[in-house]
């Protein structure tokens, strides 16, 4: 059985970028049975790097590296020549080209790609949360949420929840209906975490009438009558008074505008 050729991947972070690039190139030459990749992460000083290079020389390995620090990159290049090592600078040429193109210095912070990945997964988690705890379907989400939206039907609770979720906020929303007692969890959380969405009777009437039309129903259904709307809004106000939470007037606001108000209020907490 043939000994596998070793490829050392040296990185100042976890080394995933180096491995993906090296594997893409290797696929053009050899199959996976002929080589072994050894990932060496979190190399952040010359002492560690020197130890790895000497070991690679003894193993007759090839080096692929993603090092942000130009001093470490230069050291590995020079030492590779001295030790007769084949080394590949995976990210250095790109950094240098981008520095020329953008006419600015790179930040030289290892692991930024993975910070972006963490932000991505946090956003996905928030989106899934908003779906799971939409329209009061599970009151357990109220305690776990960053923000809880409450309002009568057709105050844009769901689209607002989704918009905020794309900003990585975990949002639950609860409809306020006179015939249904709000979940007890709503009165147990910090009032500042809860946001009431207030709307004028006329605006709500217009929205609900259009909604009924889209469903092929008559405009005179109780859902859109002034009496019903007044009753619901008075009940909503009573709930708001019990909670003592902030209220945002959404009658003439787009979802984005309301979201920005909420984000600003959360930032100031």
């Amino acid at each position: 059985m043939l000994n596998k050729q070793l490829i050392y991947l040296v990185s100042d972070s976890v080394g995933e970028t180096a491995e993906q690039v090296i594997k893409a190139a290797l696929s053009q030459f050899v199959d996976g049975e002929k080589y072994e990749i050894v990932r060496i992460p979190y190399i952040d000083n010359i002492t560690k790097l020197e130890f790895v290079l000497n070991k690679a020389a003894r193993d007759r390995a090839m080096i692929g590296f993603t090092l942000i620090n130009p001093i470490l990159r230069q050291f590995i290049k020079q030492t590779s020549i001295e030790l007769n090592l084949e080394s590949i600078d995976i990210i250095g040429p790109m950094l240098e080209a981008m520095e020329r193109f953008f006419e600015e210095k790179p930040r030289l912070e290892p692991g930024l790609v993975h910070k972006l990945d963490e932000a991505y997964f946090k956003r996905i988690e928030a989106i899934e949360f908003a779906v799971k705890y939409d329209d009061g379907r599970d009151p357990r989400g109220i305690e776990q949420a960053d923000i809880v939206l409450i309002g009568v039907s057709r105050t844009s609770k769901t689209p607002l929840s989704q918009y905020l979720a794309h900003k990585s906020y975990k949002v639950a929303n609860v409809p306020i209906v006179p015939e249904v007692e709000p979940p007890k969890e709503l009165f147990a959380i910090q009032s500042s975490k809860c946001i009431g969405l207030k709307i004028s009777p006329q605006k709500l009437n217009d929205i609900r009438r259009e909604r009924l039309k889209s469903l092929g129903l008559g405009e005179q259904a109780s859902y859109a009558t002034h009496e019903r709307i007044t009753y619901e809004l008075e009940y909503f106000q009573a709930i708001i008074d019990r909670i003592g939470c902030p209220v945002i007037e959404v009658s003439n606001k787009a979802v984005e505008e309301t979201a920005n108000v909420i984000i600003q209020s959360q930032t100031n907490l």
Side-chain angles (χ1 to χ4, degrees):
M1 184 176 177
L2 292 173
N3 290 328
K4 292 186 177 183
Q5 293 175 289
L6 292 177
I7 301 169
Y8 279 29
L9 299 185
V10 179
S11 175
D12 45 23
S13 185
V14 294
E16 286 183 3
T17 301
E19 183 166 350
Q20 289 170 4
V21 175
I22 287 289
K23 281 184 173 179
L26 282 169
S27 68
Q28 302 297 316
F29 295 93
V30 294
D31 61 45
E33 295 182 358
K34 293 183 180 179
Y35 66 87
E36 180 181 347
I37 289 176
V38 180
R39 208 194 278 189
I40 305 169
Y42 305 116
I43 296 297
D44 57 3
N45 61 63
I46 286 177
T47 301
K48 291 180 183 177
L49 192 51
E50 191 171 26
F51 175 82
V52 171
L53 292 172
N54 285 322
K55 189 173 189 309
R58 291 194 299 272
D59 293 339
R60 296 183 178 180
M62 184 173 73
I63 299 280
F65 61 97
T66 49
L67 296 169
I68 299 297
N69 188 321
I71 296 173
L72 296 182
R73 289 208 311 273
Q74 186 56 41
F75 179 82
I76 202 171
K77 289 175 186 176
Q78 185 60 43
T79 306
S80 294
I81 294 171
E82 295 170 3
L83 296 175
N84 196 28
L85 278 170
E86 190 71 57
S87 65
I88 306 166
D89 185 356
I90 295 171
I91 202 170
M94 283 187 279
L95 288 172
E96 292 163 5
M98 290 178 183
E99 182 176 343
R100 292 191 298 271
F101 183 78
F102 292 111
E103 297 183 343
E104 63 178 82
K105 296 289 183 183
R107 285 182 281 180
L108 303 180
E109 296 178 43
L112 287 180
V113 168
H114 300 288
K115 289 180 183 176
L116 291 175
D117 286 345
E118 288 172 16
Y120 169 79
F121 287 117
K122 184 180 180 183
R123 184 165 66 251
I124 294 300
E125 184 181 2
I127 292 169
E128 291 175 347
F129 186 95
V131 172
K132 183 176 182 180
Y133 297 110
D134 181 46
D135 207 32
R137 65 182 61 172
D138 188 343
R140 290 175 297 181
I142 292 171
E143 296 175 341
Q144 302 170 40
D146 299 318
I147 300 167
V148 180
L149 303 176
I150 65 172
V152 300
S153 174
R154 314 313 298 175
T155 49
S156 299
K157 295 184 298 300
T158 295
L160 187 52
S161 295
Q162 285 295 325
Y163 186 94
L164 290 167
H166 278 84
K167 302 294 183 181
S168 300
Y169 289 96
K170 290 183 178 179
V171 185
N173 73 76
V174 180
I176 299 300
V177 183
E179 290 78 16
V180 179
E181 176 68 19
K184 63 181 185 303
E185 291 85 352
L186 203 56
F187 304 98
I189 60 172
Q190 281 187 313
S191 59
S192 58
K193 193 165 84 168
C194 186
I195 306 289
L197 304 178
K198 186 177 182 180
I199 190 169
S200 71
Q202 185 56 53
K203 182 67 175 179
L204 186 57
N205 178 256
D206 293 342
I207 293 171
R208 288 188 174 183
R209 286 173 64 189
E210 289 301 316
R211 175 61 174 165
L212 289 173
K213 281 183 186 178
S214 70
L215 295 173
L217 301 174
E219 293 182 19
Q220 296 308 310
S222 64
Y223 177 70
T225 63
H226 285 288
E227 293 77 13
R228 174 65 189 183
I229 286 172
T230 300
Y231 177 46
E232 286 190 33
L233 292 178
E234 287 176 350
Y235 182 73
F236 164 77
Q237 186 60 53
I239 297 299
I240 288 296
D241 291 342
R242 282 176 62 188
I243 298 171
C245 66
V247 176
I248 298 176
E249 170 62 60
V250 299
S251 301
N252 298 304
K253 282 187 175 69
V255 167
E256 296 82 357
E257 291 179 272
T258 306
N260 287 335
V261 173
I262 293 172
I263 291 169
Q264 190 61 46
S265 70
Q266 296 298 303
T267 303
N268 294 333
L269 286 179

